Amino acid sequence: MKRRRARLELVDDRPIRVHRTRFEEERNPPPIQPMTARQAEYLDALGSHPQVIVLGPAGTGKTYIAGTRAADLLRQRRVAKVVITRPNVPSGRSLGFFPGTLEDKIAPWVAPLTETMKERMGDGAFEIAVKAGDIEVVPFEVMRGRTFKNCLVILDEAQNTTPAEIKMFLTRIGDDTQVIINGDVSQTDLRETSGLRTVIHLVKSRMMPIPIVEFGLDDIVRSGICAEWVRAFEEARV
């Protein structure tokens, strides 16, 4: 018995080595760093305003930063829920009806945001949050009558909302909620007035305290190829 006791004491005296696992690193990634001055403006606006409108061409980080912030706020328990929505307007020819529930049908439309959140949180943590209702994808069809409180709400591809739709969306917002409205007014797929244009006009004409962050062609960071094509189409006015 004495030998066993002595051995236990020896083991207990050894210094404990702490190893960081990949899962811990995924749950505690470093803060996102801006790649451009406009991204820094975007991050500053998100840190100081309950509503932010962000505009600009593809590849500027609009969706990536929104998804990363959503993942971080949820992981740090600074919000109770993340709500993601977007109008279900295709950007080209339709592939037909998607099977499943309304949530299943809208999932492909919000993939850029959810994939960013998965990358930031880790697949396992993301799936747990979805099952717990901490991440919710809300189709416009079922949004009427809802109230969003103590959460982060992201409206992606807002240029494809009608004025009536974006009014309905904005009047769902309750207390302790941050709203990110993301879009590119030059890429609307509607044949009528864009709700995003209406909101921009209201904010500017009424001097509402809502920052509008506008990315330009020089802010494209996705790749040189992306920047080259966006610039080419912009100059050709296609």
Side-chain angles (χ1 to χ4, degrees), residues 154-167:
I154 303 173
L155 171 57
D156 200 27
E157 301 290 342
Q159 74 274 5
N160 286 330
T161 58
T162 65
E165 286 174 335
I166 206 164
K167 175 184 176 182

Side-chain angles (χ1 to χ4, degrees), residues 154-201:
I154 303 173
L155 171 57
D156 200 27
E157 301 290 342
Q159 74 274 5
N160 286 330
T161 58
T162 65
E165 286 174 335
I166 206 164
K167 175 184 176 182
M168 184 262 296
F169 166 77
L170 290 170
T171 55
R172 302 302 99 205
I173 307 305
D175 295 327
D176 301 318
T177 295
Q178 184 172 44
V179 180
I180 302 175
I181 299 176
N182 178 349
D184 180 359
V185 290
S186 70
Q187 293 294 317
T188 180
D189 297 300
L190 297 177
R191 295 182 179 179
E192 55 187 297
T193 302
S194 168
L196 180 57
R197 287 188 182 275
T198 300
V199 166
I200 293 170
H201 171 72

Side-chain angles (χ1 to χ4, degrees), residues 25-55:
E25 290 174 355
E26 287 178 346
R27 288 192 302 168
N28 297 281
I32 184 171
Q33 297 297 320
M35 299 179 66
T36 65
R38 197 70 68 194
Q39 285 190 357
E41 179 186 343
Y42 184 14
L43 289 168
D44 288 343
L46 291 174
S48 57
H49 291 81
Q51 298 181 67
V52 177
I53 299 172
V54 55
L55 313 171

